[in-house]
Short mmCIF file of all heavy atoms in Angstrom, two decimals:
data_model
loop_
_atom_site.label_atom_id
_atom_site.label_comp_id
_atom_site.label_asym_id
_atom_site.label_seq_id
_atom_site.Cartn_x
_atom_site.Cartn_y
_atom_site.Cartn_z
N MET A 1 79.92 91.19 98.16
CA MET A 1 81.36 91.25 98.40
C MET A 1 81.68 90.99 99.89
O MET A 1 80.86 91.33 100.79
CB MET A 1 81.85 92.65 98.01
CG MET A 1 83.34 92.76 97.84
SD MET A 1 83.87 94.31 97.19
CE MET A 1 82.98 94.40 95.62
N ASP A 2 82.77 90.40 100.18
CA ASP A 2 83.17 90.04 101.53
C ASP A 2 83.34 91.32 102.41
O ASP A 2 84.10 92.21 102.08
CB ASP A 2 84.47 89.24 101.46
CG ASP A 2 84.96 88.82 102.86
OD1 ASP A 2 84.27 88.93 103.80
OD2 ASP A 2 86.11 88.42 102.90
N GLN A 3 82.60 91.33 103.53
CA GLN A 3 82.64 92.52 104.43
C GLN A 3 83.97 92.81 104.98
O GLN A 3 84.40 93.92 105.07
CB GLN A 3 81.61 92.30 105.57
CG GLN A 3 81.42 93.50 106.44
CD GLN A 3 80.83 94.67 105.68
OE1 GLN A 3 79.99 94.52 104.75
NE2 GLN A 3 81.18 95.87 106.12
N ALA A 4 84.73 91.74 105.35
CA ALA A 4 86.07 91.94 105.88
C ALA A 4 87.01 92.54 104.82
O ALA A 4 87.74 93.50 105.16
CB ALA A 4 86.65 90.60 106.36
N ARG A 5 86.91 92.09 103.57
CA ARG A 5 87.72 92.67 102.53
C ARG A 5 87.38 94.12 102.30
O ARG A 5 88.26 94.97 102.08
CB ARG A 5 87.58 91.85 101.27
CG ARG A 5 88.70 92.10 100.29
CD ARG A 5 88.56 91.32 99.04
NE ARG A 5 88.25 89.89 99.23
CZ ARG A 5 88.09 89.02 98.23
NH1 ARG A 5 88.10 89.39 97.02
NH2 ARG A 5 87.86 87.77 98.49
N MET A 6 86.12 94.48 102.35
CA MET A 6 85.66 95.85 102.12
C MET A 6 86.18 96.72 103.22
O MET A 6 86.59 97.86 102.99
CB MET A 6 84.12 95.87 102.05
CG MET A 6 83.57 95.31 100.77
SD MET A 6 81.78 95.19 100.77
CE MET A 6 81.31 96.92 101.02
N GLN A 7 86.09 96.24 104.46
CA GLN A 7 86.55 97.04 105.61
C GLN A 7 88.06 97.29 105.55
O GLN A 7 88.57 98.37 105.80
CB GLN A 7 86.21 96.35 106.93
CG GLN A 7 86.53 97.23 108.14
CD GLN A 7 85.78 98.56 108.19
OE1 GLN A 7 84.55 98.54 108.14
NE2 GLN A 7 86.51 99.65 108.24
N PHE A 8 88.82 96.19 105.22
CA PHE A 8 90.29 96.37 105.04
C PHE A 8 90.61 97.36 103.99
O PHE A 8 91.46 98.22 104.18
CB PHE A 8 90.94 95.03 104.68
CG PHE A 8 92.42 95.13 104.52
CD1 PHE A 8 93.24 95.14 105.57
CD2 PHE A 8 92.93 95.34 103.25
CE1 PHE A 8 94.67 95.28 105.40
CE2 PHE A 8 94.27 95.50 103.04
CZ PHE A 8 95.17 95.46 104.16
N ALA A 9 89.92 97.31 102.86
CA ALA A 9 90.15 98.25 101.76
C ALA A 9 89.90 99.71 102.21
O ALA A 9 90.70 100.58 101.90
CB ALA A 9 89.28 97.91 100.56
N ALA A 10 88.80 99.92 102.93
CA ALA A 10 88.52 101.22 103.42
C ALA A 10 89.56 101.72 104.41
O ALA A 10 89.96 102.89 104.36
CB ALA A 10 87.13 101.27 104.09
N ASN A 11 90.01 100.83 105.27
CA ASN A 11 91.07 101.21 106.24
C ASN A 11 92.31 101.55 105.54
O ASN A 11 92.96 102.56 105.86
CB ASN A 11 91.26 100.05 107.24
CG ASN A 11 90.08 99.81 108.15
OD1 ASN A 11 89.20 100.65 108.28
ND2 ASN A 11 90.12 98.66 108.84
N LEU A 12 92.73 100.74 104.58
CA LEU A 12 93.96 100.97 103.86
C LEU A 12 93.89 102.32 103.10
O LEU A 12 94.80 103.12 103.24
CB LEU A 12 94.22 99.86 102.87
CG LEU A 12 95.43 100.02 101.95
CD1 LEU A 12 96.72 100.16 102.74
CD2 LEU A 12 95.53 98.80 100.98
N ARG A 13 92.81 102.59 102.41
CA ARG A 13 92.64 103.85 101.71
C ARG A 13 92.67 105.04 102.62
O ARG A 13 93.31 106.04 102.36
CB ARG A 13 91.38 103.81 100.89
CG ARG A 13 91.23 105.01 99.93
CD ARG A 13 89.95 104.90 99.07
NE ARG A 13 89.93 103.64 98.29
CZ ARG A 13 89.06 102.63 98.55
NH1 ARG A 13 88.21 102.70 99.51
NH2 ARG A 13 89.13 101.57 97.78
N ARG A 14 91.97 104.92 103.76
CA ARG A 14 91.90 106.01 104.73
C ARG A 14 93.29 106.34 105.28
O ARG A 14 93.73 107.49 105.34
CB ARG A 14 90.97 105.66 105.85
CG ARG A 14 90.84 106.79 106.90
CD ARG A 14 89.82 106.47 108.02
NE ARG A 14 90.41 105.50 108.91
CZ ARG A 14 90.01 104.24 109.03
NH1 ARG A 14 89.04 103.75 108.29
NH2 ARG A 14 90.58 103.41 109.86
N HIS A 15 94.03 105.31 105.69
CA HIS A 15 95.38 105.47 106.23
C HIS A 15 96.35 106.06 105.18
O HIS A 15 97.21 106.85 105.49
CB HIS A 15 95.92 104.23 106.88
CG HIS A 15 95.30 103.89 108.19
ND1 HIS A 15 95.47 104.64 109.31
CD2 HIS A 15 94.50 102.87 108.53
CE1 HIS A 15 94.80 104.14 110.34
NE2 HIS A 15 94.21 103.06 109.89
N ARG A 16 96.21 105.55 103.97
CA ARG A 16 97.07 106.04 102.88
C ARG A 16 96.85 107.48 102.56
O ARG A 16 97.78 108.29 102.46
CB ARG A 16 96.83 105.18 101.59
CG ARG A 16 97.73 105.61 100.43
CD ARG A 16 97.55 104.78 99.22
NE ARG A 16 96.18 104.76 98.70
CZ ARG A 16 95.62 105.80 97.99
NH1 ARG A 16 96.27 106.88 97.81
NH2 ARG A 16 94.38 105.66 97.59
N ASN A 17 95.57 107.85 102.51
CA ASN A 17 95.22 109.24 102.25
C ASN A 17 95.64 110.15 103.38
O ASN A 17 96.19 111.27 103.19
CB ASN A 17 93.71 109.40 102.01
CG ASN A 17 93.29 108.88 100.66
OD1 ASN A 17 94.07 108.86 99.70
ND2 ASN A 17 92.06 108.41 100.56
N ARG A 18 95.43 109.67 104.63
CA ARG A 18 95.88 110.41 105.78
C ARG A 18 97.36 110.69 105.76
O ARG A 18 97.87 111.74 106.19
CB ARG A 18 95.43 109.65 107.07
CG ARG A 18 95.50 110.50 108.33
CD ARG A 18 94.91 109.75 109.50
NE ARG A 18 93.51 109.60 109.40
CZ ARG A 18 92.82 108.72 110.08
NH1 ARG A 18 93.36 107.92 110.96
NH2 ARG A 18 91.47 108.62 109.95
N ALA A 19 98.15 109.69 105.28
CA ALA A 19 99.60 109.87 105.16
C ALA A 19 100.02 110.70 103.98
O ALA A 19 101.23 110.99 103.81
CB ALA A 19 100.27 108.45 105.04
N GLY A 20 99.06 111.03 103.15
CA GLY A 20 99.32 111.87 101.99
C GLY A 20 100.10 111.13 100.90
O GLY A 20 100.86 111.76 100.14
N LEU A 21 99.84 109.86 100.79
CA LEU A 21 100.59 109.02 99.80
C LEU A 21 99.68 108.57 98.68
O LEU A 21 98.52 108.24 98.91
CB LEU A 21 101.13 107.78 100.48
CG LEU A 21 102.14 108.00 101.60
CD1 LEU A 21 102.44 106.68 102.36
CD2 LEU A 21 103.42 108.56 101.05
N SER A 22 100.21 108.61 97.47
CA SER A 22 99.51 107.99 96.33
C SER A 22 99.69 106.46 96.49
O SER A 22 100.52 105.96 97.25
CB SER A 22 100.17 108.45 95.03
OG SER A 22 101.44 107.98 94.91
N GLN A 23 98.94 105.72 95.69
CA GLN A 23 99.08 104.23 95.68
C GLN A 23 100.54 103.91 95.25
O GLN A 23 101.19 103.03 95.88
CB GLN A 23 98.09 103.60 94.70
CG GLN A 23 96.71 103.66 95.18
CD GLN A 23 95.73 102.93 94.21
OE1 GLN A 23 96.08 102.62 93.09
NE2 GLN A 23 94.50 102.74 94.71
N GLU A 24 101.04 104.63 94.29
CA GLU A 24 102.42 104.36 93.83
C GLU A 24 103.47 104.67 94.90
O GLU A 24 104.41 103.88 95.09
CB GLU A 24 102.72 105.14 92.58
CG GLU A 24 104.01 104.82 91.91
CD GLU A 24 104.18 105.37 90.53
OE1 GLU A 24 103.31 106.15 90.06
OE2 GLU A 24 105.15 105.11 89.86
N ALA A 25 103.26 105.76 95.62
CA ALA A 25 104.22 106.15 96.68
C ALA A 25 104.23 105.11 97.80
O ALA A 25 105.25 104.72 98.31
CB ALA A 25 103.91 107.57 97.18
N LEU A 26 103.03 104.67 98.19
CA LEU A 26 102.92 103.65 99.25
C LEU A 26 103.56 102.30 98.71
O LEU A 26 104.32 101.72 99.49
CB LEU A 26 101.50 103.37 99.62
CG LEU A 26 101.26 102.29 100.65
CD1 LEU A 26 102.07 102.59 101.92
CD2 LEU A 26 99.78 102.11 100.92
N ALA A 27 103.33 101.97 97.49
CA ALA A 27 103.90 100.76 96.97
C ALA A 27 105.41 100.85 96.96
O ALA A 27 106.10 99.87 97.31
CB ALA A 27 103.41 100.51 95.53
N ASP A 28 105.95 101.99 96.55
CA ASP A 28 107.46 102.18 96.55
C ASP A 28 108.02 102.05 97.96
O ASP A 28 109.05 101.38 98.21
CB ASP A 28 107.80 103.52 96.00
CG ASP A 28 107.65 103.61 94.49
OD1 ASP A 28 107.52 102.54 93.85
OD2 ASP A 28 107.63 104.74 93.97
N ARG A 29 107.30 102.66 98.95
CA ARG A 29 107.73 102.62 100.33
C ARG A 29 107.75 101.20 100.89
O ARG A 29 108.54 100.88 101.72
CB ARG A 29 106.77 103.49 101.12
CG ARG A 29 107.32 103.94 102.44
CD ARG A 29 106.28 104.76 103.22
NE ARG A 29 106.51 106.17 103.01
CZ ARG A 29 106.00 107.11 103.79
NH1 ARG A 29 105.17 106.73 104.80
NH2 ARG A 29 106.26 108.33 103.60
N CYS A 30 106.80 100.37 100.38
CA CYS A 30 106.64 98.99 100.91
C CYS A 30 107.30 97.96 100.05
O CYS A 30 107.22 96.76 100.37
CB CYS A 30 105.15 98.69 101.02
SG CYS A 30 104.27 99.72 102.19
N ASN A 31 107.91 98.41 98.96
CA ASN A 31 108.52 97.48 97.99
C ASN A 31 107.47 96.47 97.43
O ASN A 31 107.74 95.31 97.34
CB ASN A 31 109.72 96.72 98.61
CG ASN A 31 110.63 96.17 97.57
OD1 ASN A 31 110.70 96.65 96.46
ND2 ASN A 31 111.33 95.10 97.91
N LEU A 32 106.31 97.02 97.11
CA LEU A 32 105.25 96.31 96.48
C LEU A 32 104.98 96.91 95.16
O LEU A 32 105.35 98.04 94.85
CB LEU A 32 103.95 96.35 97.33
CG LEU A 32 104.01 95.65 98.75
CD1 LEU A 32 102.78 96.01 99.52
CD2 LEU A 32 104.24 94.18 98.60
N HIS A 33 104.18 96.27 94.32
CA HIS A 33 103.79 96.82 93.08
C HIS A 33 102.55 97.67 93.24
O HIS A 33 101.68 97.36 94.06
CB HIS A 33 103.50 95.69 92.02
CG HIS A 33 103.48 96.18 90.64
ND1 HIS A 33 102.38 96.82 90.09
CD2 HIS A 33 104.44 96.16 89.64
CE1 HIS A 33 102.61 97.19 88.89
NE2 HIS A 33 103.86 96.81 88.53
N ARG A 34 102.41 98.77 92.56
CA ARG A 34 101.27 99.69 92.67
C ARG A 34 99.99 98.92 92.43
O ARG A 34 98.96 99.21 93.07
CB ARG A 34 101.38 100.87 91.67
CG ARG A 34 100.22 101.82 91.84
CD ARG A 34 100.01 102.70 90.63
NE ARG A 34 99.72 101.91 89.41
CZ ARG A 34 98.55 101.39 89.13
NH1 ARG A 34 97.56 101.48 89.90
NH2 ARG A 34 98.43 100.72 88.00
N THR A 35 100.04 97.95 91.52
CA THR A 35 98.83 97.19 91.22
C THR A 35 98.33 96.41 92.47
O THR A 35 97.11 96.27 92.63
CB THR A 35 99.14 96.17 90.09
OG1 THR A 35 99.65 96.86 88.94
CG2 THR A 35 97.92 95.36 89.73
N GLU A 36 99.27 95.99 93.29
CA GLU A 36 98.89 95.34 94.54
C GLU A 36 98.07 96.26 95.44
O GLU A 36 97.00 95.80 95.99
CB GLU A 36 100.12 94.81 95.28
CG GLU A 36 99.84 94.19 96.60
CD GLU A 36 99.29 92.77 96.46
OE1 GLU A 36 99.31 92.17 95.41
OE2 GLU A 36 98.87 92.24 97.50
N ILE A 37 98.47 97.45 95.58
CA ILE A 37 97.75 98.41 96.37
C ILE A 37 96.39 98.65 95.78
O ILE A 37 95.33 98.63 96.47
CB ILE A 37 98.50 99.77 96.49
CG1 ILE A 37 99.93 99.55 97.03
CG2 ILE A 37 97.75 100.74 97.41
CD1 ILE A 37 100.08 98.96 98.37
N SER A 38 96.31 98.83 94.46
CA SER A 38 95.04 99.08 93.78
C SER A 38 94.07 97.90 93.97
O SER A 38 92.91 98.06 94.29
CB SER A 38 95.30 99.27 92.28
OG SER A 38 94.10 99.39 91.62
N LEU A 39 94.59 96.65 93.79
CA LEU A 39 93.79 95.50 93.97
C LEU A 39 93.20 95.39 95.38
O LEU A 39 92.04 95.00 95.57
CB LEU A 39 94.51 94.25 93.58
CG LEU A 39 94.85 94.03 92.12
CD1 LEU A 39 95.87 92.88 91.94
CD2 LEU A 39 93.61 93.82 91.32
N LEU A 40 94.03 95.71 96.38
CA LEU A 40 93.60 95.65 97.77
C LEU A 40 92.53 96.66 98.02
O LEU A 40 91.54 96.38 98.66
CB LEU A 40 94.80 95.83 98.70
CG LEU A 40 95.76 94.62 98.75
CD1 LEU A 40 97.07 95.05 99.48
CD2 LEU A 40 95.17 93.44 99.38
N GLU A 41 92.74 97.87 97.51
CA GLU A 41 91.76 98.97 97.78
C GLU A 41 90.48 98.82 97.03
O GLU A 41 89.52 99.39 97.43
CB GLU A 41 92.42 100.33 97.47
CG GLU A 41 93.47 100.74 98.44
CD GLU A 41 93.91 102.21 98.28
OE1 GLU A 41 93.41 102.90 97.33
OE2 GLU A 41 94.77 102.66 99.04
N ARG A 42 90.51 98.01 95.95
CA ARG A 42 89.29 97.78 95.19
C ARG A 42 88.63 96.42 95.57
O ARG A 42 87.70 96.00 94.87
CB ARG A 42 89.55 97.86 93.69
CG ARG A 42 89.91 99.26 93.18
CD ARG A 42 90.16 99.33 91.73
NE ARG A 42 91.28 98.53 91.28
CZ ARG A 42 91.20 97.52 90.41
NH1 ARG A 42 90.08 97.23 89.78
NH2 ARG A 42 92.31 96.82 90.05
N CYS A 43 89.07 95.85 96.64
CA CYS A 43 88.54 94.56 97.11
C CYS A 43 88.65 93.42 96.07
O CYS A 43 87.87 92.48 96.13
CB CYS A 43 87.04 94.73 97.46
SG CYS A 43 86.72 95.96 98.72
N LYS A 44 89.68 93.51 95.24
CA LYS A 44 89.88 92.45 94.28
C LYS A 44 90.87 91.38 94.79
O LYS A 44 91.03 90.35 94.15
CB LYS A 44 90.45 93.07 93.01
CG LYS A 44 89.53 94.05 92.34
CD LYS A 44 88.27 93.39 91.85
CE LYS A 44 87.41 94.50 91.15
NZ LYS A 44 86.10 93.96 90.81
N ARG A 45 91.51 91.68 95.88
CA ARG A 45 92.46 90.73 96.47
C ARG A 45 92.38 90.83 97.98
O ARG A 45 92.29 91.93 98.54
CB ARG A 45 93.86 91.03 95.90
CG ARG A 45 94.92 90.09 96.50
CD ARG A 45 96.26 90.26 95.83
NE ARG A 45 96.18 89.90 94.43
CZ ARG A 45 97.10 90.15 93.57
NH1 ARG A 45 98.21 90.81 93.89
NH2 ARG A 45 96.98 89.76 92.32
N SER A 46 92.56 89.70 98.64
CA SER A 46 92.68 89.68 100.08
C SER A 46 94.13 89.71 100.40
O SER A 46 94.95 89.01 99.81
CB SER A 46 92.06 88.43 100.70
OG SER A 46 90.69 88.46 100.49
N PRO A 47 94.55 90.50 101.43
CA PRO A 47 95.95 90.58 101.80
C PRO A 47 96.44 89.38 102.60
O PRO A 47 95.69 88.80 103.38
CB PRO A 47 96.03 91.83 102.69
CG PRO A 47 94.72 91.87 103.32
CD PRO A 47 93.73 91.34 102.31
N ARG A 48 97.69 89.01 102.40
CA ARG A 48 98.28 88.06 103.29
C ARG A 48 98.74 88.75 104.54
O ARG A 48 98.91 89.97 104.57
CB ARG A 48 99.55 87.45 102.59
CG ARG A 48 99.26 86.65 101.31
CD ARG A 48 100.52 86.13 100.67
NE ARG A 48 101.67 86.99 100.94
CZ ARG A 48 102.87 86.69 100.62
NH1 ARG A 48 103.14 85.54 100.02
NH2 ARG A 48 103.88 87.49 100.86
N LEU A 49 98.98 88.01 105.61
CA LEU A 49 99.41 88.58 106.89
C LEU A 49 100.66 89.36 106.68
O LEU A 49 100.82 90.46 107.18
CB LEU A 49 99.59 87.45 107.88
CG LEU A 49 100.14 87.91 109.28
CD1 LEU A 49 99.22 88.91 109.87
CD2 LEU A 49 100.32 86.67 110.15
N GLU A 50 101.62 88.80 105.97
CA GLU A 50 102.91 89.50 105.73
C GLU A 50 102.67 90.86 105.06
O GLU A 50 103.32 91.86 105.35
CB GLU A 50 103.79 88.63 104.88
CG GLU A 50 105.18 89.25 104.54
CD GLU A 50 105.99 88.39 103.64
OE1 GLU A 50 105.50 87.34 103.16
OE2 GLU A 50 107.17 88.78 103.45
N THR A 51 101.74 90.89 104.11
CA THR A 51 101.40 92.11 103.39
C THR A 51 100.81 93.18 104.30
O THR A 51 101.15 94.37 104.27
CB THR A 51 100.49 91.86 102.17
OG1 THR A 51 101.11 90.88 101.36
CG2 THR A 51 100.18 93.10 101.42
N ILE A 52 99.95 92.76 105.27
CA ILE A 52 99.39 93.65 106.25
C ILE A 52 100.46 94.33 107.06
O ILE A 52 100.48 95.51 107.33
CB ILE A 52 98.35 92.94 107.07
CG1 ILE A 52 97.11 92.51 106.23
CG2 ILE A 52 97.90 93.83 108.24
CD1 ILE A 52 96.20 91.55 107.00
N VAL A 53 101.45 93.48 107.53
CA VAL A 53 102.58 94.04 108.33
C VAL A 53 103.36 95.02 107.51
O VAL A 53 103.76 96.08 108.03
CB VAL A 53 103.41 92.84 108.86
CG1 VAL A 53 104.65 93.32 109.55
CG2 VAL A 53 102.57 91.99 109.82
N ILE A 54 103.68 94.67 106.28
CA ILE A 54 104.49 95.52 105.39
C ILE A 54 103.74 96.83 105.21
O ILE A 54 104.42 97.92 105.29
CB ILE A 54 104.81 94.82 104.07
CG1 ILE A 54 105.81 93.71 104.31
CG2 ILE A 54 105.32 95.80 103.06
CD1 ILE A 54 105.93 92.75 103.13
N LEU A 55 102.48 96.80 104.94
CA LEU A 55 101.69 98.04 104.69
C LEU A 55 101.65 98.92 105.97
O LEU A 55 101.86 100.09 105.88
CB LEU A 55 100.31 97.65 104.28
CG LEU A 55 100.15 97.12 102.84
CD1 LEU A 55 98.79 96.55 102.63
CD2 LEU A 55 100.46 98.21 101.84
N ALA A 56 101.51 98.27 107.09
CA ALA A 56 101.45 99.05 108.36
C ALA A 56 102.78 99.72 108.61
O ALA A 56 102.77 100.93 109.00
CB ALA A 56 101.15 98.07 109.55
N ARG A 57 103.87 99.06 108.36
CA ARG A 57 105.20 99.70 108.48
C ARG A 57 105.34 100.85 107.49
O ARG A 57 105.84 101.90 107.83
CB ARG A 57 106.28 98.67 108.26
CG ARG A 57 106.44 97.74 109.37
CD ARG A 57 107.57 96.71 109.11
NE ARG A 57 107.58 95.69 110.22
CZ ARG A 57 108.06 94.46 109.99
NH1 ARG A 57 108.52 94.11 108.86
NH2 ARG A 57 108.06 93.65 111.07
N GLY A 58 104.94 100.64 106.26
CA GLY A 58 105.04 101.68 105.24
C GLY A 58 104.17 102.86 105.56
O GLY A 58 104.54 104.03 105.21
N LEU A 59 103.03 102.66 106.23
CA LEU A 59 102.14 103.75 106.65
C LEU A 59 102.55 104.33 108.01
O LEU A 59 101.93 105.27 108.46
CB LEU A 59 100.73 103.22 106.66
CG LEU A 59 100.07 102.89 105.32
CD1 LEU A 59 98.87 102.11 105.48
CD2 LEU A 59 99.81 104.24 104.58
N GLN A 60 103.58 103.76 108.58
CA GLN A 60 104.05 104.18 109.94
C GLN A 60 102.94 104.10 110.95
O GLN A 60 102.80 105.01 111.79
CB GLN A 60 104.69 105.56 109.84
CG GLN A 60 105.90 105.58 108.90
CD GLN A 60 106.51 106.91 108.75
OE1 GLN A 60 105.86 107.94 108.80
NE2 GLN A 60 107.84 106.92 108.59
N LEU A 61 102.17 103.04 110.95
CA LEU A 61 101.11 102.84 111.89
C LEU A 61 101.68 102.21 113.23
O LEU A 61 102.74 101.57 113.15
CB LEU A 61 100.02 101.90 111.37
CG LEU A 61 99.32 102.35 110.08
CD1 LEU A 61 98.30 101.28 109.62
CD2 LEU A 61 98.66 103.70 110.28
N ALA A 62 101.04 102.49 114.31
CA ALA A 62 101.51 101.93 115.56
C ALA A 62 101.48 100.43 115.57
O ALA A 62 102.29 99.74 116.22
CB ALA A 62 100.72 102.53 116.73
N SER A 63 100.47 99.85 114.85
CA SER A 63 100.28 98.42 114.85
C SER A 63 99.57 98.05 113.56
O SER A 63 98.69 98.76 113.05
CB SER A 63 99.37 97.99 116.06
OG SER A 63 98.91 96.71 115.88
N PRO A 64 99.88 96.83 113.03
CA PRO A 64 99.16 96.33 111.89
C PRO A 64 97.66 96.24 112.15
O PRO A 64 96.84 96.26 111.26
CB PRO A 64 99.78 94.95 111.60
CG PRO A 64 101.15 95.06 112.20
CD PRO A 64 101.02 95.93 113.42
N ALA A 65 97.27 96.12 113.43
CA ALA A 65 95.87 95.98 113.76
C ALA A 65 95.03 97.16 113.35
O ALA A 65 93.81 97.04 113.13
CB ALA A 65 95.73 95.80 115.29
N GLU A 66 95.73 98.32 113.10
CA GLU A 66 94.96 99.51 112.65
C GLU A 66 94.33 99.28 111.30
O GLU A 66 93.37 99.88 110.97
CB GLU A 66 95.89 100.73 112.67
CG GLU A 66 96.28 101.20 114.07
CD GLU A 66 97.05 102.51 114.01
OE1 GLU A 66 96.61 103.47 113.41
OE2 GLU A 66 98.13 102.45 114.63
N LEU A 67 94.98 98.46 110.51
CA LEU A 67 94.45 98.10 109.19
C LEU A 67 93.25 97.17 109.29
O LEU A 67 92.49 96.95 108.30
CB LEU A 67 95.52 97.55 108.25
CG LEU A 67 96.55 98.55 107.83
CD1 LEU A 67 97.71 97.86 107.08
CD2 LEU A 67 95.91 99.60 106.92
N LEU A 68 93.06 96.53 110.41
CA LEU A 68 92.02 95.56 110.67
C LEU A 68 90.88 96.13 111.49
O LEU A 68 89.93 95.37 111.81
CB LEU A 68 92.57 94.29 111.32
CG LEU A 68 93.74 93.64 110.58
CD1 LEU A 68 94.27 92.44 111.43
CD2 LEU A 68 93.35 93.18 109.21
N ASP A 69 90.94 97.38 111.82
CA ASP A 69 89.93 98.08 112.63
C ASP A 69 88.55 97.85 112.05
O ASP A 69 88.36 98.06 110.82
CB ASP A 69 90.28 99.53 112.78
CG ASP A 69 89.42 100.20 113.80
OD1 ASP A 69 89.23 99.60 114.90
OD2 ASP A 69 88.95 101.31 113.60
N GLY A 70 87.63 97.42 112.86
CA GLY A 70 86.21 97.27 112.40
C GLY A 70 85.92 95.91 111.77
O GLY A 70 84.79 95.66 111.37
N ILE A 71 86.92 95.06 111.67
CA ILE A 71 86.66 93.74 111.10
C ILE A 71 86.39 92.74 112.25
O ILE A 71 87.20 92.65 113.16
CB ILE A 71 87.92 93.24 110.28
CG1 ILE A 71 88.17 94.17 109.09
CG2 ILE A 71 87.73 91.77 109.80
CD1 ILE A 71 89.42 93.89 108.33
N VAL A 72 85.21 92.17 112.15
CA VAL A 72 84.83 91.25 113.24
C VAL A 72 84.57 89.85 112.66
O VAL A 72 84.31 89.68 111.52
CB VAL A 72 83.56 91.74 114.00
CG1 VAL A 72 83.93 92.94 114.85
CG2 VAL A 72 82.41 91.98 113.04
#
């Protein structure tokens, strides 16, 4: 499996859990489908840049780069 996708998935899950949000709650906050969050967290889909920005806003992160932490 692609290492970058695995790291993104772990970062997304960690930030979502830290925010105390379910996949569905995050999806609602971001105006995305819950399935999209699930696919991203299970490494079944790679996110588009726009999606990374939307997720970062929904998670109230200081920067979208926080979702890319550890990806080289």
Side-chain angles (χ1 to χ4, degrees):
M1 196 174 300
D2 180 12
Q3 187 65 30
R5 198 181 310 179
M6 288 174 59
Q7 184 64 54
F8 178 83
N11 292 345
L12 176 58
R13 189 176 302 109
R14 183 178 72 251
H15 285 294
R16 180 179 59 76
N17 287 333
R18 196 175 288 163
L21 297 170
S22 66
Q23 289 181 348
E24 188 168 4
L26 177 58
D28 287 345
R29 198 182 264 198
C30 296
N31 200 27
L32 297 170
H33 196 280
R34 184 202 57 80
T35 304
E36 177 75 11
I37 306 299
S38 175
L39 290 170
L40 290 168
E41 287 190 1
R42 292 183 297 123
C43 303
K44 300 294 183 186
R45 180 173 292 167
S46 294
R48 297 179 328 172
L49 176 58
E50 180 182 7
T51 304
I52 294 171
V53 172
I54 290 168
L55 289 168
R57 287 180 185 153
L59 290 165
Q60 299 178 326
L61 301 178
S63 167
E66 292 186 53
L67 290 172
L68 304 177
D69 191 41
I71 297 174
V72 291

